[in-house]
Amino acid sequence: MAIIGAKEEHVDPRLTRIAQADKKPWYKKPNLRFLYLILVPTGLGVEWTSGFDSSMMNSLQAVKSWVDYFDNPTSGRLGLLNAMYSLGALMAIPFIPTVSQRLGRRWTILVASFIMCMGAGLQAGARNSDMFLASRWVLGFGIPFAIVNASSLIGELSYANERPIMTSLFNASWFVGAIVAAGTTYGTFQMESTWAWRLPSLLQLVPSLCQIVFMYWCPESPRWLISQDRADEAMAVLQKYHSEGADGDEFVRLEFAQIQSTLALEKELARSFAWADVVRDPPMRRRFVISAVMGFFTQWSGNGLLSFYMKKILALVNITDNRTVQKIILSNTCWGLINAVPIALIAPRFPRRKMFLTCTIGTAVVYTVWTIASARSEIENSAAAAIPVLVFIYVYSPFYNIGWNALAYTYLVELFPYQQRSKGIAVEQLTARIAVFFNTYVNPIALDSISWRYYIVYCVWILVEIITVYLLFPETHNRTLEELSFMFEGKEVQQRVEQNMDKVLQVELADMRPKISKEEVRPVEQRA
């Protein structure tokens, strides 16, 4: 139970009980199985682009032809080359809610994918650093549209039993792109021509092509369809993918009624100006504060150093050989995927707050030991100190993945009602991109200026994260999205949703009665 803010209240978990009673696994449900398979390239694949970009820019610093072509960029210039990606994302965020509501989840992802393909082409063909900077901006402009809508689409399409796992796998997919980028760069870094960096740059468009090619077979979010007065299409989607388990028809009827009644109340409460909901009332302000701090925490937990500046970190403990650096980057990225996927499958089964606290306390311990080992390496000039630094670079990954990787989008999707979901994730992206912009620009300068002492900043900051999670974060475990929609608004609002839901169900039953009556009066042999 969170200590600060309104106490969260939950509605009667009728849908959750039906879903938990359904013991038929997803892989034995043909339609649901197809849905999850098509969500791999169309939804999870969006994070391949993010992982590819971070890993590629990390690895390019150890590619001689890239360093030479761009005149051995100094710490400030190097930081700008990395930070321009986040600057592009920051410019896109104000438009995300409007575009998402107008185009829907699928088409917004497609438009973003085309933008990122154009950015990857510009990056591969860059003739100078200004053109490379421009391509980084274009790539960054496209990515938040795709991330916000892909994470929402996965959460809104998945069946209740698998939704937390599917949304947790979204962030874990980052490592797939990162491994491909690190492996590609490791294979090309010794090439003397500019193709040593142009080839990895060009391959960055492959994940976006996956969304463009496979999106035709991916359904639209039923919640968006209902919000556009296309209820029949939404019902068809729910009936096809969510009715294959035990009591499937009852589950779909309840789910459809709950979505309709929840969206009706959300529209009633929503403000006409898209961003006015951010400060609408105390419950909504609390949601957006949590979203904002999550954006900072996912990027200011020390992971930015490992994602972008591994070469500088290793140089502090006298590991400077480019081949060795490339091997460490590749192996650490592979290790990230190896532990991220099992964690994404396991972490959603536990209460969210406990997982976030485990994550933050674990990363605090890792950074403390890492800082001490790096200090010993400089003070004693000891090569042996590099060993614990390397060990704790690898230990860091599982602790980070438990919370900020596995549960970030799971938690955000659960935290916000449909109408504010794209805004909430966009705010998380806003603060995350501000954090990344700051980190990617400042980190190399700080590492060059004060060496390992810069790690102390992260040690202190992670303590702030622990306190914030303990005081502010609510529990959302084991509830459907609609059951969580008004958990801060109190029982009165939730009772209105329940009453509206019952009215929708009564209308549905009234529509069904004439069909039942006609069936009953037909001769038995005709019914046969």
Side-chain angles (χ1 to χ4, degrees):
M1 193 68 66
I3 295 174
I4 292 180
K7 176 184 176 182
E8 59 269 19
E9 301 280 356
H10 299 295
V11 299
D12 181 24
R14 282 187 278 178
L15 269 178
T16 298
R17 284 198 294 265
I18 297 174
Q20 290 175 344
D22 179 13
K23 302 303 181 185
K24 188 176 182 180
W26 64 270
Y27 51 83
K28 291 186 179 180
K29 302 174 182 178
N31 291 333
L32 191 62
R33 182 174 65 235
F34 174 81
L35 175 65
Y36 291 158
L37 289 175
I38 204 64
L39 282 174
V40 172
T42 57
L44 302 179
V46 167
E47 274 295 280
W48 298 346
T49 300
S50 293
F52 195 103
D53 186 84
S54 296
S55 183
M56 183 193 73
M57 290 303 296
N58 198 5
S59 298
L60 287 183
Q61 295 168 51
V63 176
K64 187 176 184 300
S65 67
W66 183 83
V67 173
D68 292 343
Y69 194 86
F70 294 107
D71 299 322
N72 192 20
T74 60
S75 296
R77 188 66 172 177
L78 180 61
L80 185 59
L81 288 169
N82 278 319
M84 188 58 67
Y85 185 81
S86 295
L87 183 60
L90 288 172
M91 299 295 289
I93 285 168
F95 308 105
I96 291 175
T98 303
V99 173
S100 301
Q101 191 59 25
R102 291 277 179 86
L103 299 182
R105 308 295 191 204
R106 295 171 70 251
W107 276 103
T108 305
I109 295 170
L110 280 172
V111 171
S113 298
F114 278 112
I115 292 172
M116 288 186 286
C117 283
M118 183 173 67
L122 286 171
Q123 186 173 254
R127 307 298 298 175
N128 50 52
S129 61
D130 289 339
M131 188 173 174
F132 196 86
L133 283 170
S135 70
R136 305 283 302 146
W137 188 94
V138 173
L139 282 163
F141 187 84
I143 192 64
F145 286 102
I147 286 177
V148 169
N149 285 277
S151 58
S152 298
L153 185 65
I154 291 169
E156 292 164 6
L157 281 174
S158 299
Y159 186 58
N161 287 344
E162 292 85 34
R163 174 184 50 78
I165 292 174
M166 289 296 293
T167 48
S168 293
L169 285 171
F170 180 72
N171 246 355
S173 301
W174 185 94
F175 291 98
V176 176
I179 288 171
V180 173
T184 302
T185 311
Y186 180 71
T188 64
F189 85 100
Q190 287 186 313
M191 295 172 64
E192 295 183 1
S193 71
T194 58
W195 281 105
W197 59 269
R198 292 189 192 276
L199 185 59
S201 297
L202 185 62
L203 287 177
Q204 191 165 348
L205 62 76
V206 172
S208 297
L209 283 178
C210 288
Q211 282 95 70
I212 293 170
V213 171
F214 290 101
M215 190 60 77
Y216 175 81
W217 292 279
C218 183
E220 181 56 89
S221 163
R223 289 164 179 81
W224 182 79
L225 291 170
I226 290 175
S227 74
Q228 300 297 306
D229 297 323
R230 294 161 62 180
D232 290 344
E233 295 176 55
M235 185 61 171
V237 172
L238 294 173
Q239 189 70 39
K240 181 175 182 179
Y241 297 109
H242 290 184
S243 65
E244 296 175 294
D247 297 319
D249 289 336
E250 182 184 0
F251 180 89
V252 169
R253 281 196 311 107
L254 283 170
E255 184 179 30
F256 181 76
Q258 199 175 64
I259 292 172
Q260 276 200 319
S261 60
T262 302
L263 287 181
L265 186 55
E266 286 180 31
K267 286 183 178 180
E268 183 182 326
L269 297 174
R271 301 292 176 85
S272 56
F273 174 58
W275 288 104
D277 284 325
V278 176
V279 293
R280 185 178 77 196
D281 50 39
M284 200 56 68
R285 285 197 292 272
R286 182 179 175 189
R287 289 186 177 94
F288 280 101
V289 167
I290 294 171
S291 177
V293 299
M294 281 189 70
F296 284 115
F297 291 174
T298 57
Q299 300 302 328
W300 271 356
S301 298
N303 53 309
L305 287 172
L306 296 173
S307 298
F308 288 98
Y309 300 110
M310 184 74 85
K311 182 175 173 62
K312 288 184 175 293
I313 290 171
L314 297 176
L316 293 178
V317 289
N318 300 314
I319 299 175
T320 56
D321 177 66
N322 281 343
R323 180 180 291 275
T324 303
V325 172
Q326 294 283 1
K327 286 180 178 179
I328 293 172
I329 292 173
L330 178 58
S331 63
N332 188 49
T333 308
C334 291
W335 165 237
L337 178 66
I338 290 169
N339 69 73
V341 172
I343 287 171
L345 297 175
I346 295 169
R349 302 177 188 274
F350 296 91
R352 310 291 185 243
R353 282 168 48 80
K354 289 182 180 178
M355 292 296 97
F356 281 124
L357 286 171
T358 301
C359 163
T360 49
I361 292 170
T363 52
V365 172
V366 168
Y367 248 89
T368 301
V369 177
W370 180 357
T371 302
I372 293 169
S374 298
R376 284 192 57 200
S377 176
E378 179 179 302
I379 295 168
E380 300 175 4
N381 196 23
S382 169
I387 297 174
V389 169
L390 284 175
V391 168
F392 279 90
I393 283 175
Y394 288 88
V395 171
Y396 175 87
S397 179
F399 281 112
Y400 178 86
N401 288 339
I402 286 172
W404 303 130
N405 191 295
L407 294 178
Y409 290 104
T410 299
Y411 199 61
L412 287 168
V413 169
E414 293 172 343
L415 196 63
F416 284 92
Y418 168 78
Q419 294 285 348
Q420 290 78 33
R421 189 165 293 136
S422 61
K423 303 183 192 78
I425 301 176
V427 167
E428 184 270 344
Q429 284 288 297
L430 172 68
T431 54
R433 299 302 168 179
I434 291 172
V436 172
F437 184 86
F438 176 85
N439 276 342
T440 50
Y441 190 75
V442 172
N443 281 347
I445 299 172
L447 286 172
D448 286 347
S449 300
I450 58 175
S451 186
W452 60 268
R453 296 166 188 82
Y454 185 50
Y455 300 153
I456 298 173
V457 174
Y458 287 106
C459 293
V460 175
W461 176 255
I462 296 172
L463 292 178
V464 174
E465 294 183 2
I466 296 170
I467 296 168
T468 305
V469 169
Y470 181 74
L471 294 178
L472 191 62
F473 282 35
E475 187 53 70
T476 61
H477 181 52
N478 262 351
R479 296 282 173 164
T480 66
L481 296 184
E482 275 62 44
E483 288 168 358
L484 293 166
S485 289
F486 298 107
M487 62 179 169
F488 296 143
E489 276 76 3
K491 289 186 177 181
E492 183 181 345
V493 174
Q494 294 181 358
Q495 285 171 356
R496 290 176 62 187
V497 175
E498 290 283 306
Q499 291 168 0
N500 291 339
M501 178 179 170
D502 290 336
K503 289 178 183 177
V504 174
L505 287 172
Q506 288 171 9
V507 171
E508 288 182 19
L509 289 172
D511 291 340
M512 291 172 63
R513 282 194 189 103
K515 298 177 184 177
I516 295 170
S517 299
K518 290 178 182 179
E519 181 71 17
E520 287 173 348
V521 299
R522 288 170 58 197
V524 174
E525 59 272 15
Q526 288 184 16
R527 278 185 267 163

